[in-house]
Amino acid sequence: MRRRIRLWVIFGFVFLAIGLIQHLTGIGSDATTGMFVTSGVVVLVFAGARAMREDEGPEQDERTRRIGAYGITYSWFITLVYLFVLFWAENMGLLALASTDVILSSILLMAISAKVSQWWFFRQGDVE
């Protein structure tokens, strides 16, 4: 387990180093530089979080897996409806959003709605 975490930390530092070298030398474009730096930081954050975790988390049974799947399914459906509404609002001229705004809001909506729906189903006890 520790060996795998060390490997991810090495990958994170390699991505980060490639991005920084590209930035300092001016070899790569800003997009690739940002991609490498962001990827390196994300890999390092996840490797650090994994290293600090002491156990494997709560034991999963059929109920918790089913609740998790239903929560993610509801999240996908809510996000699909949201994108549909954004499409029609843009088509009718009611709203003008940049693509970055749409992407960021979709990612946030998906993550938040997944957690909220899973919390709701856990509170209810089960899904049917």
Side-chain angles (χ1 to χ4, degrees), residues 11-29:
F11 280 134
F13 278 120
V14 166
F15 287 156
L16 191 60
I18 290 171
L20 290 175
I21 289 170
Q22 281 186 348
H23 178 69
L24 294 174
T25 60
I27 294 173
S29 68

Side-chain angles (χ1 to χ4, degrees), residues 20-42:
L20 290 175
I21 289 170
Q22 281 186 348
H23 178 69
L24 294 174
T25 60
I27 294 173
S29 68
D30 288 341
T32 58
T33 299
M35 179 189 70
F36 278 114
V37 170
T38 303
S39 299
V41 169
V42 167

Side-chain angles (χ1 to χ4, degrees), residues 18-108:
I18 290 171
L20 290 175
I21 289 170
Q22 281 186 348
H23 178 69
L24 294 174
T25 60
I27 294 173
S29 68
D30 288 341
T32 58
T33 299
M35 179 189 70
F36 278 114
V37 170
T38 303
S39 299
V41 169
V42 167
V43 168
L44 288 173
V45 166
F46 279 115
R50 184 77 173 167
M52 285 190 269
R53 192 183 302 173
E54 292 183 18
D55 57 0
E56 291 299 317
E59 187 175 322
Q60 288 190 353
D61 58 357
E62 186 178 324
R63 176 184 157 269
T64 57
R65 281 190 221 117
R66 188 172 48 238
I67 288 174
Y70 267 77
I72 291 172
T73 303
Y74 274 60
S75 170
W76 276 94
F77 182 71
I78 290 168
T79 305
L80 182 65
V81 170
Y82 171 73
L83 291 173
F84 183 74
V85 168
L86 281 183
F87 170 77
W88 281 109
E90 174 79 27
N91 247 5
M92 289 191 260
L94 301 173
L95 189 61
L97 291 174
S99 60
T100 55
D101 296 334
V102 172
I103 292 169
L104 179 63
S105 63
S106 298
I107 290 170
L108 290 174

Side-chain angles (χ1 to χ4, degrees), residues 66 70 74 121 126-128:
R66 188 172 48 238
Y70 267 77
Y74 274 60
F121 287 134
D126 203 357
V127 292
E128 295 186 29

